[in-house]
Amino acid sequence: MSVPPRIGFIGLGIMGRAMALNLHRAGFQVSVYNRTRSRTTEFADLGCQVASTPRALAKMCDTIITMVSDPAAIDEVLEGPEGAASAFQGGNALINMSTLSPDYTAALAKKCYAAGVVFLDCPVSGSKAAAEKGQLVILAGAEKAALERFAPVLKTMGKEIVYAGLPPAGTALKLCVNLIVAQLTTALAESAALAQAQGIDPALIFETLAHNPAMNCGYFSLKKDNILKRDFPPAFPLRHMLKDARFMLAEAAKKRLELPVTAAVERLMTKSYNSGYGDKDLSVVLDTLAEPL
Ligand code: NAP
């Protein structure tokens, strides 16, 4: 990268905070915007500029990275009255790392192309711990030249980049990967519920899985404490996975493909969300299984 980018980071939630900190620590010039201002304090203390609106941020930077909840949040930070898009100039770049829908991402790519803005569709695989360690896997949908240009930025947040094709290929791949995460999580919860119903200690499930090299999956270890302690501090909030499950089902429906297990997972997560568990880690579905039907 010849001239280092001036990065404007939007969205300092569970993931974005860790990713922006890694960019700052790697020596990039990082300015930030977050809807809830208090989340920017630690960045101000580190000497980063804090913008009061996404538009003001875009004026200070040439590259915007977004890591916000969902399409409504992207609409707000890009297209809202004080949105970043109104300050974009030709040659600027937008790297979206939030998980959106493929349709939304394709439309965003088109808008950027029309405005002469380089667009990279780069959602991530990996949760809070991987974001903190800079070990995310980045699922990239982009022109190859753009990806090469921004690889040093992306490699600060992730250890690997998987190239999927042009946008929205990164998002399409992300949904396939999250389908597995959604099902693995509900599989763990159902297995623990069945163990308890039979008077078996759920810890024995994890012990058995750990002894079997074919089943010893790092994701199970990540969720072990949540399941065994029935404590669900958010690493991946349930409401985000519910959004993703709905994107998966909408994509499948468009292609006349049935995803019966994902559909069942979506119903379970909807029940959990309606019980008020949206901000807890998605493994909280275990508590929903324990509730009467
Ligand atoms: P999070 O902790 O809930 O943070 C969401 C961020 O979006 C916050 O900065 C929030 O601002 C901002 N936001 C939400 N609605 C907004 C709006 N209307 N206008 C402006 N800003 C808004 O979420 P996260 O876990 O970091 O996830 C971020 C994205 O990454 C999501 O798309 C998620 O699906 C995806 N993802 C998450 C994980 C994970 O394990 N957590 C892993 C891979 C991908 P406030 O601070 O003001 O609320």
Side-chain angles (χ1 to χ4, degrees), residues 52-264:
S52 52
T53 65
R55 179 177 159 77
L57 184 76
K59 280 187 174 171
M60 324 169 169
C61 303
D62 47 60
T63 299
I64 292 289
I65 299 179
T66 43
M67 191 55 171
V68 293
S69 304
D70 51 21
I74 290 279
D75 276 345
E76 186 69 33
V77 300
L78 292 183
E79 311 284 354
E82 285 298 325
S86 60
F88 280 158
Q89 294 172 0
N92 282 175
L94 171 64
I95 306 176
N96 174 57
M97 306 189 78
S98 334
T99 308
L100 307 173
S101 70
D103 282 349
Y104 188 97
T105 303
L108 187 56
K110 213 168 160 184
K111 274 188 216 164
C112 287
Y113 183 77
V117 171
V118 176
F119 177 67
L120 288 86
D121 161 34
C122 288
V124 301
S125 175
S127 196
K128 187 180 179 209
E132 287 169 351
K133 292 182 203 144
Q135 286 186 347
L136 295 166
V137 179
I138 292 164
L139 313 176
E143 295 278 357
K144 280 206 163 155
L147 188 56
E148 216 165 278
R149 182 174 150 208
F150 285 100
V153 172
L154 297 172
K155 284 278 181 101
T156 302
M157 297 176 279
K159 65 181 167 81
E160 299 291 346
I161 300 174
V162 178
Y163 181 65
L166 295 175
T171 292
L173 174 59
K174 167 67 184 167
L175 293 187
C176 303
V177 172
N178 261 17
L179 181 151
I180 295 170
V181 176
Q183 295 193 9
L184 280 183
T185 313
T186 44
L188 274 183
E190 286 199 350
S191 176
L194 179 63
Q196 261 175 343
Q198 297 179 102
I200 299 289
D201 181 355
L204 297 177
I205 301 167
F206 290 93
E207 191 180 330
T208 308
L209 294 173
H211 286 314
N212 180 345
M215 299 292 287
N216 189 12
C217 162
Y219 185 73
F220 295 155
S221 313
L222 269 185
K223 298 299 171 191
K224 181 177 168 182
D225 278 357
N226 297 19
I227 299 283
L228 296 184
K229 295 180 183 162
R230 294 190 89 103
D231 184 23
F232 309 102
F236 188 178
L238 174 90
R239 65 191 156 83
H240 292 330
M241 184 55 103
L242 179 57
K243 147 187 78 75
D244 297 349
R246 289 174 178 168
F247 291 155
M248 292 164 209
L249 293 171
E251 274 303 296
K254 264 178 21 198
K255 307 285 187 301
R256 294 175 182 273
L257 171 70
E258 267 193 63
L259 300 176
V261 181
T262 305

